[in-house]
DNA sequence: TCGATACGAGACAGACCCGTATCGAATAAA
DNA sequence: TTTATTCGATACGGGTCTGTCTCGTATCGA
């Protein structure tokens, strides 16, 4: 029998100290790589989260289903690991100014939207998150909340330095910038991300304001 | 047999001039209402689009499956009609000023986000759109593109009147406002829509700008 | 009245998928 | 060599859903 505890390969699940080098044949590292590579390949071929089946993944990876279920307790755990694994590292913010940091954050989002793999993750996350509550909560805690916090911190520094208005609503700033970028990435297929000046345009629009002379006069 | 052409009740499908009042028993209007009502009820009970099954809908409506398939050729066509049917009418814009029109548009979105039925539609659309390509394209053409156009038109008038900057990027304005609202509605559960001043805050933030004295000095 | 159609109910086939179990072969430690 | 574990492959049970079809009944035009 091999129906004992799983030893999941990566982030989420238990992975309890495999300190005891067990006796039998060791798990194949290549199998794991093949599984992740197969998921990635299926994704690139246009599959959604719902189209990914354990059987399909196993076949694409040239792997038996048991090899998957020996590592993950169920489909959702596998997909959580697969998605988390695709996350790219956060950008290092230069800190030269709050405006510059916001621009760099948006530039990071823009590049993610241009990268096919990252784009797929975003699309999947936003379009099918509901069906996998575990994946949803993990992604929220690990990615979304963290990035919101980054923007909030930047905004706080900007307020302290006088770059931003003293009465700035931190969440509002984050929402307008992130929202605009997400709309382009996830929602509207015809709003391109190609323009490298996009982050600068967005941040400066929000900082300088879009009101014209009539609006300034009316204040 | 009654496997002839369907006569779908509402928007999407063919509905070809039922000019010939056919001979047998007429279709029950009550059945259609019951079907739509059942979908709505299931939605309110928390079901996602993927949880809606023809069998479940039929049972909840007290209707036979054949009664559904007599009207719609498949599940997707039914759901398209059901979602389109839930769309609330566009708001009448007062036109007193471009700023006011933007505020009214956002206020409409805010109210939609607070209404449970509309919120469900939005969540479903954004989280599960991929799996129903027909629904996706219908919703894009009927709703999303139209609303984008409304904001673009308002922005154009604002530029003409001098309320907005002459070099305004119309799409950028729409994206930042709509994106911010959508983020609150669909994405972040903890950003409430309760504040009635939200639309004013957002529009004025974007028009007046969020930059502080240091930013103004640096320009 | 009679034929045609719709009704609710449900059986049915076909497909799909998950998660488990089993197979012989392979690969490690003891 | 022996024992334990993994490997890929595949069969299996159990479940779900779609879409078609068949009941007996109800309601219409002719």
């Amino acid at each position: 029998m091999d129906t004992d505890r799983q030893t999941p390969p990566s982030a989420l699940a238990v992975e309890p100290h495999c300190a005891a080098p067990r006796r039998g044949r060791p798990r194949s590292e290549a199998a794991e790589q093949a599984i992740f590579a197969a998921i990635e390949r299926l994704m690139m071929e246009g599959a959604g989260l719902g189209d990914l089946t354990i059987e399909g993944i196993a076949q694409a990876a040239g792997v038996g289903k048991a090899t998957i279920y020996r590592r993950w307790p169920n489909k959702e755990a596998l997909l959580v690991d697969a998605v988390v694994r695709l996350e790219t590292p956060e950008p290092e913010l230069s800190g030269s100014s709050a405006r510059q940091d916001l621009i760099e954050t948006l530039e990071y989002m823009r590049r993610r939207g241009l990268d096919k793999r990252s784009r797929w993750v975003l699309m999947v996350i936003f379009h099918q998150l509901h069906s996998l509550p575990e994946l949803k909560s993990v992604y929220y805690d690990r990615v979304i909340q963290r990035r919101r916090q980054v923007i909030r911190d930047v905004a706080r520094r900007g307020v302290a330095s006088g770059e931003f208005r003293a009465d700035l609503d931190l969440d509002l700033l984050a929402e307008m910038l992130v929202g605009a970028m997400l709309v382009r990435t996830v929602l509207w297929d015809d709003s391109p991300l190609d323009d490298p000046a996009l982050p600068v345009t967005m941040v400066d629009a929000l900082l300088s304001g879009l009101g014209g002379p009539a609006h300034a006069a009316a204040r």
Side-chain angles (χ1 to χ4, degrees), chain A:
Chain A
M1 322 243 179
D2 52 27
T3 324
D4 45 341
R5 66 183 58 180
Q6 279 103 4
T7 309
S10 96
L12 184 63
V14 216
E15 178 142 25
H17 61 71
C18 56
R22 285 174 306 178
R23 287 223 328 185
R25 174 175 176 173
R27 295 211 176 146
S28 159
E29 175 69 21
E32 266 152 47
Q33 300 303 325
I35 292 168
F36 283 128
I39 293 178
E40 211 167 307
R41 186 153 35 88
L42 292 172
M43 284 170 12
M44 304 293 279
E45 289 165 3
L49 255 194
D51 304 323
L52 291 183
T53 67
I54 296 287
E55 277 162 343
I57 294 168
Q59 187 158 24
V63 148
K65 280 171 68 176
T67 302
I68 293 180
Y69 280 106
R70 211 171 282 119
R71 288 166 168 75
W72 292 273
N74 52 49
K75 181 180 170 182
E76 183 164 6
L78 167 60
L79 293 182
V80 169
D81 272 355
V83 167
V84 168
R85 199 168 167 277
L86 284 174
E87 272 305 310
T88 53
E90 303 275 330
E92 286 279 337
L93 297 181
S94 70
S96 64
S97 73
R99 170 178 173 273
Q100 186 60 32
D101 282 351
L102 287 184
I103 291 172
E104 287 168 14
T105 302
L106 287 199
E107 173 63 12
Y108 167 70
M109 292 185 68
R110 189 182 74 91
R111 289 193 183 281
R112 272 175 60 82
L114 287 175
D115 175 59
K116 206 173 175 189
R117 286 189 330 202
S118 296
R119 192 186 183 86
W120 184 89
V121 172
L122 283 174
M123 303 283 273
V124 160
I125 288 292
F126 285 92
H127 289 170
Q128 307 172 325
L129 208 50
H130 106 109
S131 54
L132 299 166
E134 182 64 26
L135 175 55
K136 171 170 176 170
S137 78
V138 167
Y139 195 81
Y140 266 60
D141 295 345
R142 291 199 166 216
V143 182
I144 294 185
Q145 293 297 355
R146 194 181 304 175
R147 289 203 191 132
R148 269 181 98 182
Q149 195 54 48
V150 167
I151 294 189
R152 270 203 216 96
D153 292 341
V154 170
R156 219 184 316 264
R157 282 194 291 125
V159 170
S161 72
E163 267 186 282
F164 300 161
R165 285 165 56 158
D167 61 344
L168 176 68
D169 181 331
L170 302 181
D171 286 328
L172 187 65
L173 178 75
E175 277 157 23
M176 298 193 79
L177 290 178
V178 172
M181 215 63 184
L182 279 182
V183 164
R184 288 212 180 214
T185 307
V186 174
L187 214 54
W188 296 344
D189 303 329
D190 55 346
S191 294
L193 295 165
D194 314 311
D195 182 9
L198 195 58
V200 176
T201 306
M202 285 183 174
V203 170
D204 282 344
L206 195 54
L207 289 186
S208 301
L210 294 176
H215 177 262
R219 286 192 312 143

